[in-house]
Amino acid sequence: MRTVKAVGAVNASDPLVALEIERRDVGPNDVLIDIDYAGICHSDIHTARGEWGAIAYPQVVGHEIVGRVAEVGSAVTKHQVGDLVGVGCQSNSCRECAQCQLGHDQYCLNGNTQTYDSVDADGTITQGGYSEMIVTNEDFVLRIPEGLDAAKTAPLLCAGITLYSPLRHWNAGPGMRVGIVGLGGLGHMGVKLAAAMGAEVTALSRGTAKRDDALAFGAQHYLDTTDAAAMRAAWGTFDLIINTVSAQVKITDYLRLLDVDGTLVLVGAPPEPYSVPAFALIGSRKSLAGSTTGGIAEIQEMLEFCAEHGIHPETELITADADEINAAWQRVMDADVRYRFVIDTNTL
Ligand code: NAP
Ligand code: ZN
Ligand code: ZN
């Protein structure tokens, strides 16, 4: 075991504090990663604040992790000391169920091991990336391709893959009219990725403050979701809409935007349930769907795609000072982030 510095939550309401956590010994199939960067995902906040249910404290969150391999276990073949690598939302899975066999470890039927707030094989609760070091099974460690800027890459490990996977699953590409709702960490990646896939992209956001940014990210169109007339004019004009909003939206407003056979995919995860009238779907054979992150192979594919297309998240680098992270969390909750905070964990 080794003790490492971290920043974490001690309960659901108090600010995050500096603390120390234990990392397990490096097993034969493990990689020790010296973390350089950790992105701040809104899921970190939902989890630490107990919004998705009670959790065990102290809890160190963070599942957008980039760093260098510092040590490898005796049986490790995929990574070497010094490699630039990443860890995302899942850190292990059963590998045997039908979904794991398909490479869909994010949908492991036996429940995968999340990078934080999950029961690990040894019975301890996993602790995430707002820390100096992490020990992860080599199969769940991603190679960061050349050409990606390490300081900007961490958000790809959650925000990037969470949009890449549904865009691929629903075949975003030329001729498809794609809408991305909410321009935060996930949403801005959705705009960039869907545009790179060749889709006709519309960014949907409240007000017009993010309009110019959205067009610069590759959106062809911009829709102010607070403009009732513009929303009405857009009824029936989308094939695929991905909703990244962290709070409740009026779901029927977005189902109306779909054409016949269109799909609205929920990736944003507000704690309260949605209420959906049957008539919002049946009249035009619309689908309401959900999606979570992506499998390890697909995350690797997404990283290569971003390197090939020169896609980087828009990031704001902060130190690992607990007060600075608390202030960043407040700005995320206020939707005042352009577009992802990344913690420089070397400042711990
Ligand atoms: P974020 O950076 O905070 O972005 C959320 C965006 O939602 C904001 O930028 C804002 O966009 C919009 N929004 C926020 N509050 C709103 C409100 N009250 N009404 C309407 N719009 C509002 O969050 P994120 O990190 O991208 O995460 C977004 C959601 O996805 C979270 O719920 C997170 O837990 C979830 N998530 C899911 C997965 C998955 O696997 N499915 C993975 C990661 C995250 P505008 O200002 O542009 O309107
Ligand atoms: Zn996340
Ligand atoms: Zn499985």
Side-chain angles (χ1 to χ4, degrees), residues 23-45:
R23 292 300 189 190
R24 68 170 182 261
D25 288 333
V26 177
N29 301 104
D30 285 338
V31 171
L32 173 69
I33 301 166
D34 194 350
I35 303 174
D36 293 319
Y37 301 104
I40 294 179
C41 176
H42 207 118
S43 301
D44 301 347
I45 302 173

Side-chain angles (χ1 to χ4, degrees), residues 173-193:
M176 184 178 271
R177 298 160 298 173
V178 175
I180 305 290
V181 187
L183 288 184
L186 268 58
H188 93 290
M189 286 311 307
V191 171
K192 290 189 179 206
L193 290 164

Side-chain angles (χ1 to χ4, degrees), residues 5-332:
K5 288 183 200 160
V7 173
V10 289
N11 58 44
S13 53
D14 285 328
L16 303 179
V17 294
L19 41 82
E20 292 192 333
I21 54 172
E22 303 286 333
R23 292 300 189 190
R24 68 170 182 261
D25 288 333
V26 177
N29 301 104
D30 285 338
V31 171
L32 173 69
I33 301 166
D34 194 350
I35 303 174
D36 293 319
Y37 301 104
I40 294 179
C41 176
H42 207 118
S43 301
D44 301 347
I45 302 173
H46 289 308
T47 302
R49 294 297 171 233
E51 292 171 16
W52 286 339
I55 66 162
Y57 297 97
Q59 179 66 59
V60 175
V61 293
H63 54 203
E64 296 182 336
I65 299 169
V66 166
R68 297 262 171 203
V69 175
E71 193 183 321
V72 294
S74 55
V76 166
T77 57
K78 294 183 173 140
H79 309 284
Q80 292 181 349
V81 171
D83 286 355
L84 187 66
V85 295
V87 177
C89 298
Q90 64 268 32
S91 285
N92 217 331
S93 72
C94 85
R95 298 144 191 259
E96 287 168 358
C97 73
Q99 290 303 316
C100 283
Q101 293 287 316
L102 288 168
H104 302 160
D105 43 85
Q106 76 275 37
Y107 300 121
C108 174
L109 299 174
N110 294 309
N112 60 25
T113 308
Q114 295 282 295
T115 297
Y116 60 74
D117 186 36
S118 223
V119 181
D120 213 344
D122 60 6
T124 60
I125 302 293
T126 55
Q127 303 282 342
Y130 298 10
S131 62
E132 278 180 300
M133 291 184 160
I134 192 165
V135 179
T136 306
N137 184 285
E138 67 161 333
D139 295 332
F140 286 76
V141 174
L142 288 307
R143 295 180 307 281
I144 306 299
E146 295 225 358
L148 287 180
D149 176 349
K152 291 178 174 286
T153 294
L156 296 179
L157 278 310
C158 175
I161 188 59
T162 300
L163 273 292
Y164 183 90
S165 186
L167 287 168
R168 281 288 190 232
H169 182 77
W170 277 277
N171 301 311
M176 184 178 271
R177 298 160 298 173
V178 175
I180 305 290
V181 187
L183 288 184
L186 268 58
H188 93 290
M189 286 311 307
V191 171
K192 290 189 179 206
L193 290 164
M197 291 173 189
E200 182 182 340
V201 184
T202 301
L204 295 91
S205 172
R206 298 164 300 167
T208 53
K210 298 176 186 171
R211 184 177 181 280
D212 292 346
D213 284 350
L215 298 179
F217 299 156
Q220 272 132 305
H221 316 286
Y222 182 89
L223 189 47
D224 172 359
T225 56
T226 65
D227 181 339
M231 288 289 277
R232 174 67 186 84
W235 282 9
T237 64
F238 288 88
D239 303 304
L240 175 67
I241 297 175
I242 303 184
N243 172 25
T244 76
V245 175
S246 51
Q248 280 269 345
V249 294
K250 201 174 156 207
I251 205 86
T252 45
D253 287 353
Y254 297 93
L255 289 169
R256 283 196 175 107
L257 300 180
L258 294 172
D259 202 347
V260 176
D261 283 332
T263 302
L264 173 62
V265 182
L266 304 180
V267 296
E272 314 79 21
Y274 274 117
S275 168
V276 183
F279 283 103
L281 299 169
I282 60 180
S284 303
R285 198 165 54 190
K286 292 172 183 174
S287 299
L288 178 62
S291 181
T292 196
T293 63
I296 290 297
E298 193 176 32
I299 301 174
Q300 193 65 55
E301 176 190 306
M302 177 273 310
L303 290 168
E304 310 289 345
F305 181 88
C306 289
E308 188 185 323
H309 292 267
I311 297 174
H312 280 102
E314 304 295 315
T315 56
E316 188 171 333
L317 195 64
I318 62 170
T319 75
D321 175 72
D323 290 341
E324 209 170 328
I325 299 174
N326 286 315
W329 275 28
Q330 188 56 53
R331 283 183 54 197
V332 173

